Amino acid sequence: AQTVTQSQPEMSVQEAETVTLSCTYDTSENNYYLFWYKQPPSRQMILVIRQEAYKQQNATENRFSVNFQKAAKSFSLKISDSQLGDTAMYFCALRSYNTDKLIFGTGTRLQVFP
Amino acid sequence: DSGVTQTPKHLITATGQRVTLRCSPRSGDLSVYWYQQSLDQGLQFLIQYYNGEERAKGNILERFSAQQFPDLHSELNLSSLELGDSALYFCASSPGAPNEKLFFGSGTQLSVL
């Protein structure tokens, strides 16, 4: 079975600072994809960043970057220069090439303070 | 705007009733996914359809069913509703390949009283 674990239910950071959200996963598949989704108070699910497991290079999208450690099955999200608009629930997700299901972690609630 | 449309946005009903949630995927997307988000269970994958055919099944109760129509819109039917079915139900769509991102609708908030 595939699982995604987010061990930090809540995090907080001051505006302009950097914060890292943790995610570990388990899968027996060799081909899979990892995602971070953001859910602001509007409840809309928004893709933040995506990583393909066969790529060693860590994905980056503006202020968002990941630290992908395949052997350790770890996929953390780093948010640099945090902004008030980053306040949201963040979900780590795993999608297997074979099963095609997107499995989510339980989420980390991030609060950015001014 | 993700391009995925879900109706209705809110639904209030009573236990034992049946409801239908509707989803229109983004133009051109063949895959539709249904997810349930509740406070105690998090985001649970329910079911996926690809071009009208069921492709993957998750933690979907027997009281729940879904289908995808020839025009690619999808409906999720929830019957014999219980208090515990109260949740936010998301629909998502994608073109179909596993490496492509899912685009989520804004959800239907179901309240069972």
Side-chain angles (χ1 to χ4, degrees), chain A residues 62-114:
Chain A
N62 301 315
R63 299 183 294 107
F64 299 88
S65 61
V66 298
N67 183 3
F68 174 48
Q69 302 289 329
K70 190 172 183 179
K73 293 184 178 175
S74 170
F75 183 61
S76 61
L77 174 69
K78 185 171 86 170
I79 306 174
S80 304
D81 186 26
S82 297
Q83 300 176 0
L84 297 178
D86 295 333
T87 292
M89 195 77 167
Y90 286 81
F91 292 95
C92 178
L94 165 69
R95 188 175 185 187
S96 165
Y97 186 87
N98 289 330
T99 66
D100 208 23
K101 291 189 292 187
L102 186 63
I103 306 299
F104 286 90
T106 51
T108 296
R109 187 174 302 279
L110 176 67
Q111 179 73 50
V112 180
F113 291 97

Side-chain angles (χ1 to χ4, degrees), chain B residues 76-88:
Chain B
L76 178 66
N77 299 298
L78 316 176
S79 62
S80 302
L81 285 168
E82 301 175 0
L83 296 177
D85 297 327
S86 295
L88 183 58

Side-chain angles (χ1 to χ4, degrees), chain B residues 6 8 11 20 25-26 28-30 32 39 48 56-58 71 75 78 81 84 88 90 102 105 111 113:
Chain B
Q6 285 189 252
L11 197 49
T20 298
R26 288 189 328 150
D29 283 357
L30 299 177
V32 170
L39 288 176
Q48 179 207 356
K57 214 166 187 177
D71 66 353
E75 293 181 355
L78 316 176
L81 285 168
L88 183 58
F90 279 110
L102 269 62
S111 299
L113 305 178

Side-chain angles (χ1 to χ4, degrees), chain A:
Chain A
Q2 297 176 320
T3 59
V4 177
T5 302
Q6 293 179 251
S7 58
Q8 306 154 313
E10 293 184 1
M11 295 277 286
S12 62
V13 64
Q14 197 153 22
E15 203 175 4
E17 297 295 308
T18 296
V19 64
T20 299
L21 309 184
S22 301
C23 173
T24 58
Y25 61 92
D26 192 23
T27 179
S28 57
E29 304 287 339
N30 201 36
N31 295 323
Y32 55 89
Y33 305 89
L34 295 160
F35 305 82
W36 278 97
Y37 278 85
K38 167 185 176 180
Q39 187 178 37
S42 66
R43 306 181 318 184
Q44 184 74 43
M45 292 290 287
I46 303 164
L47 178 69
V48 175
I49 199 163
R50 172 178 55 187
Q51 174 81 41
E52 290 149 318
Y54 64 84
K55 288 187 178 178
Q56 292 189 340
Q57 187 173 3
N58 290 323
T60 299
E61 288 285 345
N62 301 315
R63 299 183 294 107
F64 299 88
S65 61
V66 298
N67 183 3
F68 174 48
Q69 302 289 329
K70 190 172 183 179
K73 293 184 178 175
S74 170
F75 183 61
S76 61
L77 174 69
K78 185 171 86 170
I79 306 174
S80 304
D81 186 26
S82 297
Q83 300 176 0
L84 297 178
D86 295 333
T87 292
M89 195 77 167
Y90 286 81
F91 292 95
C92 178
L94 165 69
R95 188 175 185 187
S96 165
Y97 186 87
N98 289 330
T99 66
D100 208 23
K101 291 189 292 187
L102 186 63
I103 306 299
F104 286 90
T106 51
T108 296
R109 187 174 302 279
L110 176 67
Q111 179 73 50
V112 180
F113 291 97

